[in-house]
Amino acid sequence: MTATTNVPLTPHRDRDLALQVRLAIIRSPHTERDVAARAGVSPLNLVALLAGRRVFRLDDVFRIAEALDMKPSELLQAAGH
């Protein structure tokens, strides 16, 4: 993993991204717990990301998108990035 994938996204867009991830989870056949396991993050970290208590990093976005069988650009574009 390179240093550029650990750069946090802009904080004012995190809320939009969290909403898009939540919607993607609702639309997918997977539960939050399944997505967390497939993305390699703990369920508590996923909840913290979605609640805004933790800042999304690009590597988080890539892993979550992959777990949802999506492209990272789909989540980012929907969130206005």
Side-chain angles (χ1 to χ4, degrees):
M1 194 166 307
T2 63
T4 56
T5 59
N6 289 325
V7 176
L9 298 173
T10 54
H12 65 282
R13 296 285 186 172
D14 264 358
R15 193 174 335 150
D16 297 335
L17 184 58
L19 177 62
Q20 292 306 315
V21 171
R22 251 187 247 119
L23 288 172
I25 291 172
I26 290 169
R27 292 176 183 148
S28 79
H30 309 294
T31 65
E32 275 187 20
R33 187 170 292 215
D34 294 336
V35 171
R38 291 180 72 190
V41 298
S42 76
L44 291 177
N45 280 342
L46 181 61
V47 169
L49 285 168
L50 297 177
R53 294 189 307 265
R54 190 169 161 231
V55 176
F56 277 95
R57 298 180 321 208
L58 286 177
D59 62 326
D60 295 329
V61 175
F62 276 73
R63 290 190 320 228
I64 291 170
E66 189 176 296
L68 290 167
D69 301 322
M70 298 177 73
K71 294 178 185 173
S73 60
E74 292 176 291
L75 288 177
L76 293 170
Q77 285 175 349
H81 285 284

